[in-house]
């Protein structure tokens, strides 16, 4: 029986996550890289392979969106920094994704869209309309959200006889993260308390919308109607000076932050997602150590801990890449985690 031809895939953005994804598309035989969209002018014209330390592929990086839209492809791995990171309206990402879908390309995105229905019927209809126009599908994924705060909690509830509260915690170490744009400009590390309060506003809006999707997704699939999703955040100031990949953290500047997002029903918490971000976990002792924890209070009580994820960005990229084949085979429309087969590492096993 002849093997299926490789899936033609476009890599959209080559930042911290996109580089991992691009590398996978080049080295895995089930994919054919047919286009790369970049934002950095210095990357335009470079071969996609040399961009990630691999041999040349013959695919040249471009910043021409119209050229990408005109490129024949089965799927686009859409991995830019979300528009709301820069204080722009969420509609900017919607516009791009709708254009890609309408051009006949399935889209896997790491910019949210885990559960677009929580934004209301207007956005759903717009996305579904683009899917119909291009006979294509949309899937939002990642690590958290996209796995830890939605897929795993729902999987664990299959063992529940009664659920009182769902709690998910992420604690991440940014010591080795090389991007100043993310670590400094978005998370606000190395900034004074005053500068942090101003700089983090766009990030706060994005975090609120992103984790509200995740909490609403879990609630909706457990037949729970939330009254609201409540958000709070706080930060920690460095008591000593230390260096991280993205810059110097001085005494008195922000070195960590903690965010909580709680879905409420009649004033009672149904689900809480806690996110702890540290500039350097070895230097910041407040709040839990890096890792993921899921706790379901009820009958039975359950706690699941993922004590290490050495490369969270690689995990986010891999989860997206490993979803491409299933999405391409799915019917047109918005496809959530529960609409697709379980994404596995099929094709990635290395025994030699």
């Amino acid at each position: 029986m002849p093997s299926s031809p490789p899936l033609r895939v476009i890599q959209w953005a080559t930042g911290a996550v996109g580089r991992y994804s691009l590398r996978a598309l080049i080295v895995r035989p089930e994919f054919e890289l047919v286009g790369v969209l970049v934002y950095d002018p210095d990357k335009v014209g470079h071969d996609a392979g040399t961009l990630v330390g691999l041999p040349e592929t013959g695919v040249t990086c471009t910043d021409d969106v119209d050229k990408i839209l005109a490129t024949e492809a089965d799927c686009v791995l859409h991995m830019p920094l979300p528009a709301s990171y820069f204080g722009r309206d969420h509609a900017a990402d919607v516009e791009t994704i709708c254009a890609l879908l309408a051009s006949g390309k399935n889209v896997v995105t790491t910019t949210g869209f885990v559960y677009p229905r929580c934004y209301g019927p207007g956005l759903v209809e717009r996305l579904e309309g683009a899917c119909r126009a291009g006979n294509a599908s949309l899937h939002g994924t990642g690590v958290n959200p996209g796995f830890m705060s939605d897929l795993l909690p729902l999987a664990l509830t299959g063992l529940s006889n009664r659920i009182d509260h769902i709690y998910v915690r992420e604690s991440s170490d940014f010591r080795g993260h090389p991007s100043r744009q993310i670590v400094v400009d978005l998370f606000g590390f190395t900034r004074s308390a005053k500068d942090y309060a101003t700089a983090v506003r766009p990030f706060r809006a994005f975090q609120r919308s992103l984790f509200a999707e995740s909490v609403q997704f879990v609630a909706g699939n457990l037949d729970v109607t939330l009254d609201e999703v409540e958000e709070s955040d706080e930060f920690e100031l460095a008591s000593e000076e230390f260096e991280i990949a993205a810059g110097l953290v001085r005494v008195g500047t922000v070195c960590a932050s903690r965010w909580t997002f709680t879905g409420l029903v009649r004033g009672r918490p149904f689900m809480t997602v806690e996110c702890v971000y540290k500039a350097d976990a070895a230097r910041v002792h407040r709040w839990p150590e890096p890792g993921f924890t899921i706790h379901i209070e009820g009958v039975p009580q359950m706690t699941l801990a993922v004590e290490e994820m050495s490369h969270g960005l690689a995990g986010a990229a891999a989860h997206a890449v490993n979803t491409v084949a299933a999405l391409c085979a799915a019917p047109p429309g918005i496809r959530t985690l529960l609409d697709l087969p379980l994404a596995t590492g099929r094709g990635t096993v290395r025994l030699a």
Side-chain angles (χ1 to χ4, degrees), residues 24-55:
L25 294 179
I26 293 171
V27 302
R28 290 174 60 173
E30 65 266 41
F31 303 116
E32 177 189 356
L33 181 69
V34 295
V36 179
L37 189 285
V38 295
Y39 288 89
D40 185 346
D42 292 338
K43 295 179 181 179
V44 174
H46 284 263
D47 185 274
T50 60
L51 200 63
V52 290
L54 294 174

Side-chain angles (χ1 to χ4, degrees), residues 298-332:
V299 180
Q301 304 268 15
M302 288 176 276
T303 300
L304 173 68
V306 179
E307 295 183 353
E308 181 183 2
M309 180 174 287
S310 60
H311 295 88
L313 300 176
H319 199 210
V321 172
N322 291 334
T323 304
V324 168
L327 188 68
C328 289

Side-chain angles (χ1 to χ4, degrees), residues 16-352:
V17 177
R19 289 174 65 86
Y20 283 109
S21 173
L22 177 58
R23 190 178 184 87
L25 294 179
I26 293 171
V27 302
R28 290 174 60 173
E30 65 266 41
F31 303 116
E32 177 189 356
L33 181 69
V34 295
V36 179
L37 189 285
V38 295
Y39 288 89
D40 185 346
D42 292 338
K43 295 179 181 179
V44 174
H46 284 263
D47 185 274
T50 60
L51 200 63
V52 290
L54 294 174
E56 291 191 359
T57 62
V59 177
T60 302
C61 299
T62 181
D63 60 357
D64 187 337
V65 172
D66 290 335
K67 181 178 179 180
I68 291 294
L69 288 173
T71 301
E72 291 291 327
D74 298 298
C75 190
V76 176
L77 283 165
H78 178 257
M79 298 178 171
L81 289 174
S84 49
Y85 265 8
F86 305 102
R88 301 197 303 269
D89 193 274
H90 186 61
D93 287 328
V94 175
E95 187 79 25
T96 297
I97 288 172
C98 284
L100 290 169
L101 292 167
S103 72
K105 302 171 184 61
N106 298 295
V107 176
V108 178
T109 183
T110 55
T111 64
F113 302 91
V114 169
Y115 193 52
R117 287 171 181 80
C118 78
Y119 295 108
L123 176 60
V124 170
E125 179 49 40
R126 187 172 178 197
L127 292 170
E128 290 283 7
C131 288
R132 288 192 297 270
N135 194 35
S137 299
L138 169 66
H139 177 66
T141 189
V143 168
N144 188 38
F147 192 82
M148 295 294 182
S149 58
D150 23 52
L151 179 60
L152 281 186
L154 280 173
L156 286 177
T157 65
L159 304 176
S160 295
N161 190 52
R162 190 189 78 220
I163 301 169
D164 297 325
H165 181 244
I166 298 172
Y167 166 81
V168 179
R169 181 179 67 221
E170 169 194 356
S171 181
S172 296
D173 188 346
F174 283 76
R175 174 178 48 193
H177 200 302
S179 173
R180 283 188 58 84
Q181 188 177 42
I182 292 176
V183 177
V184 178
D185 297 341
L186 303 180
F187 282 84
F189 296 160
T190 78
R191 292 181 179 272
S192 68
K194 181 179 179 181
D195 288 346
Y196 174 87
T198 302
V200 82
R201 283 174 187 163
F203 184 51
R204 182 178 287 116
F206 169 70
Q207 287 281 83
R208 185 183 298 115
S209 64
L210 185 68
F211 285 99
E213 280 193 67
S214 194
V215 173
Q216 292 276 15
F217 177 73
V218 173
N221 282 288
L222 293 176
D223 292 330
V224 173
T225 301
L226 299 178
D227 297 322
E228 62 176 317
V229 177
E230 187 177 72
E231 174 264 326
S232 65
D233 62 272
E234 55 185 316
F235 58 85
E236 178 79 348
L237 300 178
S239 58
E240 60 177 316
E241 183 174 289
F242 57 90
E243 188 86 27
I244 58 175
L248 181 66
V249 180
R250 293 184 170 86
V251 175
T253 63
V254 175
C255 64
S257 59
R258 175 181 177 269
W259 305 68
T260 57
F261 309 88
T262 304
L264 300 174
V265 179
R266 295 186 296 277
R268 293 184 57 187
F270 157 73
M271 180 175 179
T272 301
V273 178
E274 177 187 14
C275 297
V276 174
Y277 306 120
K278 299 184 178 186
D280 183 344
R283 306 280 190 146
V284 180
H285 303 293
R286 187 183 180 191
W287 301 317
E289 291 300 302
F292 293 89
T293 301
I294 300 168
H295 177 70
I296 297 181
E297 184 180 344
V299 180
Q301 304 268 15
M302 288 176 276
T303 300
L304 173 68
V306 179
E307 295 183 353
E308 181 183 2
M309 180 174 287
S310 60
H311 295 88
L313 300 176
H319 199 210
V321 172
N322 291 334
T323 304
V324 168
L327 188 68
C328 289
I334 297 169
R335 297 288 167 246
T336 71
L337 285 163
L338 298 186
D339 297 320
L340 298 175
L342 179 67
T344 69
R346 182 178 182 179
T348 67
V349 177
R350 299 291 182 266
L351 300 177

